[in-house]
């Protein structure tokens, strides 16, 4: 249905409605069309006043559609009017309405009104990320950085995860500004990237570089570089943090994971305690392993190949240096089937220890337990991120250690670029770098690993490009 180009009288609206094949949804369909065509606000208003006369009032979902059109066009006075109507008519609004109101107001000269709406929303819910970020950007645009940072800290306290876009905006809006507190807050964002192993993309990295170089009187200089395998930065000759955990860190981490994650609440949801006990006995009798493989995960790595062949290729590749391997499998792998050939399985069992769990078991706990019990040298193979387990760890220090250990011990099988026949040439074990690939600082230097492109998802693909910033 095409919206009219100018406001209509009641009888004209009635005629259009009667001619429409489903008159009961005409109003909504018409408003959707107006949003799509970005119709003049007066046309939408004439439909609303017609509906109000016909029905006695205007339904919530219709007001939301009208509000969407107002926000789209930056009609601030109308947005405020709709808000006033909604406050009187409805006791509480849902997050979509707050989102629209805040977005519309925060982009206008009445941006402080958006903060009032945010306060309203907070009384009944944790506001969505977009509400906070609209207000943060509005405050930053008007150089009210303290307010922007207050909102950012509040977001983090409520476990609302900020987008890279809003983190970048802090550096963009703070360019050329002086102040110890502001600097401390921006350093805090860099430490947030470190804590959560977040790699900024190229445009975000440039914003960080430009901000550092714009700080009045501080003489920071940024250079793009690649770190040598030894862990030395070619620009400032500084040695990056070692990726290895100390003995003490390792035993603390190992203890915490076994206590909080493996024996914590989440493990046995899909695994029976009896099965896990059997696994522990199995492992203790065969320790230590050099590499623990998530068999099911690796078996799916190339979809056009038999699952057992994928796994066999991995085992053959990893068994080369007489490494002691443990493969975590599932019982269905033992039934001779189109994907699991008995003779290939037999061949693999000569090169690795296998533990076959029930078909519904949760692999991660098994993987972590066997790897950690084997000692500091043991690595593991999976394409999983192990995110849930990081969340079970109670404090930031342990979470940081877990990520650091994961970065140094997880072998990622990169099988997406397979050209050659031989598996070993493409089973690129991502080397466990001697240096730790996270944001790091010594006070007068910062080293920031970055990606060429934006990635929404967490990634264990470690970047090879770095920004080195030093104070001259």
């Amino acid at each position: 249905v095409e919206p009219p180009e100018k406001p209509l009288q009641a009888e004209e609206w009635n005629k259009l409605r009667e001619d429409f094949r489903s008159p009961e949804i005409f109003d909504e369909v018409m408003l959707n069309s107006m949003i799509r065509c970005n119709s003049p606000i007066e046309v939408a208003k004439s439909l609303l006043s017609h509906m109000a006369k016909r029905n006695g009032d205007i339904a919530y979902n219709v007001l939301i559609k009208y509000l969407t059109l107002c926000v789209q066009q930056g009609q601030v006075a109308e947005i405020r009017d709709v808000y006033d109507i909604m406050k009187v008519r409805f006791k509480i609004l849902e997050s979509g309405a707050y989102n629209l109101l805040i977005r519309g107001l925060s982009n206008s000269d009445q941006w402080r009104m958006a903060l009032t709406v945010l306060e309203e929303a907070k009384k009944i819910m944790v506001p969505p990320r977009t509400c906070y970020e609209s207000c943060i950007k509005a405050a930053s645009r008007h150089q009210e950085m303290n307010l922007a940072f207050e909102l950012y800290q509040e977001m983090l306290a409520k476990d609302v995860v900020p987008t890279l876009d809003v983190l970048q905006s802090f550096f963009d809006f703070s360019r050329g500004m002086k102040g110890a507190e502001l600097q401390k807050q921006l350093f805090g964002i860099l430490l947030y990237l470190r804590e959560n192993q977040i790699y900024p993309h190229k445009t975000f990295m440039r914003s960080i570089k430009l901000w550092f170089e714009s700080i009045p009187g501080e003489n920071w200089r940024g250079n793009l570089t690649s770190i040598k395998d030894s862990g030395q930065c070619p620009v400032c000759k500084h040695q990056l943090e070692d990726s290895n955990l100390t003995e003490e860190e390792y035993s603390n981490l190992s203890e915490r994971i076994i206590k909080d994650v493996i024996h914590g609440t989440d493990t046995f949801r899909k695994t029976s305690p009896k099965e896990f006990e059997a696994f522990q006995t199995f492992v203790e009798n065969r320790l230590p392993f050099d590499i623990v493989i998530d068999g099911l995960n690796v078996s799916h790595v190339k979809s056009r190949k038999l699952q057992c062949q994928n796994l066999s290729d991995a085992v053959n590749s990893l068994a080369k240096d007489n490494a002691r391997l443990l493969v975590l499998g599932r019982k269905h792998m033992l039934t001779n089937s189109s994907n699991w050939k008995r003779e290939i399985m037999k061949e693999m069992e000569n090169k690795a220890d296998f533990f076959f769990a029930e078909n519904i078991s949760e692999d991660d706990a098994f993987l972590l337990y066997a790897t950690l019990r084997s000692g500091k040298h043991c690595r593991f193979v999976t394409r999983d991120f192990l995110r849930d387990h990081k969340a079970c760890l109670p404090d930031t220090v342990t979470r940081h250690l877990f990520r650091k250990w994961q970065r140094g011990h997880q072998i990622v099988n990169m099988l997406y670029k397979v050209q050659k026949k031989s598996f070993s040439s493409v089973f690129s074990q991502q080397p466990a770098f001697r240096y730790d690939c996270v944001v790091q600082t010594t006070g007068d230097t910062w080293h920031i690993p970055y990606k060429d492109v934006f990635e929404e998802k967490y990634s264990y693909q470690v970047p090879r490009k770095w920004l080195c910033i030093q104070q001259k």
Side-chain angles (χ1 to χ4, degrees), residues 303-318:
S303 54
R304 288 200 296 276
K305 228 175 187 180
L306 285 185
Q307 287 172 20
C308 62
Q309 195 56 60
N310 281 330
L311 183 55
S312 170
D313 289 346
V315 167
N316 288 336
S317 168
L318 292 166

Side-chain angles (χ1 to χ4, degrees), residues 6-200:
K6 55 184 199 311
L8 302 183
Q9 298 300 321
E11 57 274 16
E12 294 172 294
W13 281 121
N14 279 334
K15 173 91 176 72
L16 279 178
R17 189 166 186 265
E18 282 157 20
D19 293 344
F20 188 66
R21 65 178 177 277
S22 311
E24 70 284 358
I25 58 164
F26 169 79
D27 302 329
E28 280 192 56
V29 173
M30 179 55 80
L31 278 163
N32 283 339
S33 257
M34 290 181 185
I35 294 167
R36 200 181 62 247
C37 302
N38 204 21
S39 298
I41 209 75
E42 295 309 320
V43 177
K45 257 175 135 169
S46 86
L47 174 60
L48 253 65
S49 64
H50 166 64
M51 287 163 69
K53 282 180 193 140
R54 192 184 72 223
N55 304 333
D57 64 7
I58 297 167
Y60 183 86
N61 59 341
V62 170
L63 277 173
I64 291 289
K65 288 186 194 302
Y66 178 63
L67 182 58
T68 305
L69 188 64
C70 297
V71 171
Q72 198 166 286
Q73 298 182 5
Q75 303 273 359
V76 184
E78 288 298 316
I79 294 169
R80 290 197 64 155
D81 286 350
V82 174
Y83 181 44
D84 291 340
I85 292 167
M86 288 180 123
K87 270 195 306 189
V88 173
R89 290 258 325 271
F90 309 104
K91 276 202 169 59
I92 56 170
L93 311 181
E94 39 71 65
S95 62
Y98 285 122
N99 210 347
L100 280 167
L101 290 162
I102 289 170
R103 199 170 87 215
L105 294 165
S106 64
N107 284 323
S108 73
D109 56 353
Q110 299 190 30
W111 64 276
R112 285 187 187 280
M113 180 81 186
L115 300 171
T116 311
V117 180
L118 183 68
E119 287 307 313
E120 283 294 311
K122 283 196 290 203
K123 290 175 190 165
I124 53 166
M125 65 172 85
V126 172
R129 166 165 79 186
T130 41
C131 292
Y132 273 112
E133 296 199 342
S134 295
C135 291
I136 287 171
K137 284 186 178 175
S140 305
R141 257 197 306 277
H142 292 86
Q143 301 290 285
E144 299 224 8
M145 298 313 292
N146 288 346
L147 173 58
F149 276 110
E150 265 171 46
L151 290 166
Y152 165 68
Q153 295 299 348
E154 191 181 295
M155 255 180 112
L156 295 185
K158 292 184 175 174
D159 284 331
V160 180
V161 179
T163 57
L164 292 191
D165 179 51
V166 84
L167 296 181
Q168 182 183 333
S169 73
F170 279 112
F171 290 90
D172 289 336
F173 287 120
S174 303
R175 211 172 286 166
M177 290 169 79
K178 205 172 170 61
E181 185 53 36
L182 175 71
Q183 197 162 322
K184 188 176 150 207
Q185 293 278 20
L186 288 157
F187 285 170
I189 291 179
L190 294 175
L191 295 173
Y192 172 83
L193 298 180
R194 171 190 170 89
E195 171 66 37
N196 292 282
Q197 195 183 335
I198 294 167
Y199 302 125

Side-chain angles (χ1 to χ4, degrees), residues 216-283:
E218 294 221 352
N219 214 16
W220 290 94
R221 278 289 155 269
N223 288 282
L224 308 188
T225 187
S226 298
I227 303 297
K228 295 174 177 167
D229 287 343
S230 64
Q232 190 188 53
C233 170
V235 179
C236 65
K237 304 295 181 262
H238 180 76
Q239 189 67 29
L240 294 195
E241 290 172 35
D242 197 318
S243 65
N244 284 323
L245 273 58
T246 64
E247 291 297 339
E248 189 186 350
E249 285 174 333
Y250 182 79
S251 70
N252 286 346
L253 176 70
S254 182
E255 229 167 81
R256 288 318 285 265
I257 290 184
I258 287 171
K259 181 172 157 287
D260 293 324
V261 178
I262 293 172
H263 294 310
T265 50
D266 74 333
T267 311
F268 297 124
R269 251 182 252 150
K270 295 181 186 161
T271 303
S272 74
K274 194 170 162 210
E275 180 178 52
F276 199 73
E277 272 168 36
F279 175 68
Q280 283 175 290
T281 309
F282 175 91
V283 168

